[in-house]
Amino acid sequence: MGTPFCLRKAKVNQMLKIVTVSADGELGRRIRDMGLIPGTECKVIGKAPLKDPVALRLKDFTLTLRNSEADHVTVDTLEG
């Protein structure tokens, strides 16, 4: 594992582990309700042509996040 970074900066096909969710209030609750909680592993499966939104695969579903939401999620790469 390396240095944690913002989910917005992740590359397509990169395997990640969520480290923190820094959003508070309603946005933080919504992000966590979508399954983005610390310790969860995910993979970036795509980005729109203008880089917003980002598509993630976690657990058994695909999720898309706006960059404004992804900015609140800190991730680290998984080795392998």
Side-chain angles (χ1 to χ4, degrees):
M1 292 219 209
T3 304
F5 56 96
C6 176
L7 179 57
R8 179 194 290 231
K9 297 179 181 176
K11 295 178 173 71
V12 175
N13 292 322
Q14 196 168 27
M15 290 295 298
L16 307 167
K17 186 172 192 173
I18 298 171
V19 178
T20 61
V21 176
S22 62
D24 293 322
E26 183 69 23
L27 178 60
R29 185 186 63 76
R30 195 168 141 254
I31 289 172
R32 288 178 187 87
D33 285 349
M34 289 188 282
L36 298 170
I37 54 175
T40 302
E41 295 180 5
C42 62
K43 180 179 181 179
V44 177
I45 59 170
K47 290 189 175 190
L50 297 177
K51 309 291 186 215
D52 190 20
V54 60
L56 304 172
R57 183 78 184 164
L58 62 147
K59 301 187 181 183
D60 292 331
F61 63 95
T62 301
L63 173 70
T64 58
L65 281 182
R66 295 182 182 106
N67 280 336
S68 60
E69 297 165 335
D71 286 340
H72 296 283
V73 181
T74 304
V75 295
D76 200 354
T77 57
L78 289 175
E79 300 197 13

